[in-house]
Amino acid sequence: RSVSYTTLGLATPVAATVNVSTYVPTARPVALRLQASVPLPVPLLLVSVTGWVADRFDRRLVLLVTDLGRGALMLVLAWLVATNGSIEAIVAVTILATCLSSFFGPAIGSYLPTLVKDESDLGPANTAYASLDNIAFVIGPATASIILTLADDLAVAFLLNAVSFLVIAIIL
């Protein structure tokens, strides 16, 4: 078909952010719960801004900036975890990563039609993307648990996540 399913197949699972930072052990369970729950309403708060950005700017550029930004934030999280940074800093970086992630959905949704050659291919392309996104939603946490089990170091998981964002930036 005219859409690059290979690109979609690579981009979607790799771009799925696994929020393994909830694994960070802390003596402050309230701070940890805050870190896990505060990012949840962020996409709702930013919905009008993210749609506007996806409509007004080059969608590929928005995807590139969000992935590079999230990759940089994963490096910051890796550093914070490796240096026993404060949970407050981890919460703040996680919220920033969630803010950037909020821009990805509208941008990819409006970018996808430009990848297909013919309008009749748009349905299959949307189906492929939605399927891969759902698969990534399941495989991402499983992969993160395997990485955490094998590496026994949360910083390594964040470094690998940062690399995944770089890979997507190169694909884009």
Side-chain angles (χ1 to χ4, degrees):
R1 307 290 260 165
S2 52
V3 67
S4 174
Y5 291 109
T6 305
T7 302
L8 286 175
L10 286 172
T12 306
V14 177
T17 304
V18 179
N19 188 5
V20 293
S21 57
T22 55
Y23 175 82
V24 177
T26 179
R28 297 171 280 183
V30 172
L32 187 58
R33 186 67 244 149
L34 180 69
Q35 184 274 336
S37 61
V38 166
L40 295 177
V42 170
L44 293 174
L45 295 172
L46 293 175
V47 70
S48 61
V49 174
T50 58
W52 180 82
V53 168
D55 285 341
R56 300 292 188 272
F57 296 96
D58 178 7
R59 284 128 184 145
R60 185 177 168 276
L61 181 62
V62 172
L63 294 170
L64 187 63
V65 168
T66 58
D67 278 349
L68 290 175
R70 291 185 294 174
L73 291 171
M74 292 305 115
L75 291 175
V76 171
L77 281 173
W79 177 77
L80 285 169
V81 169
T83 61
N84 293 317
S86 72
I87 191 71
E88 293 82 9
I90 292 170
V91 169
V93 172
T94 302
I95 291 171
L96 287 173
T98 303
C99 288
L100 282 176
S101 294
S102 298
F103 288 87
F104 191 85
I108 194 70
S110 58
Y111 184 59
L112 189 59
T114 66
L115 297 176
V116 296
K117 189 177 195 178
D118 184 54
E119 192 173 323
S120 65
D121 291 331
L122 187 56
N126 280 326
T127 301
Y129 175 75
S131 297
L132 291 169
D133 193 43
N134 286 318
I135 290 168
F137 183 77
V138 173
I139 292 175
T143 303
S145 67
I146 292 168
I147 291 168
L148 289 172
T149 301
L150 295 175
D152 196 30
D153 186 357
L154 186 58
V156 170
F158 284 121
L159 287 172
L160 290 174
N161 202 11
V163 168
S164 75
F165 287 112
L166 178 62
V167 167
I168 295 306
I170 291 168
I171 291 172
L172 286 171

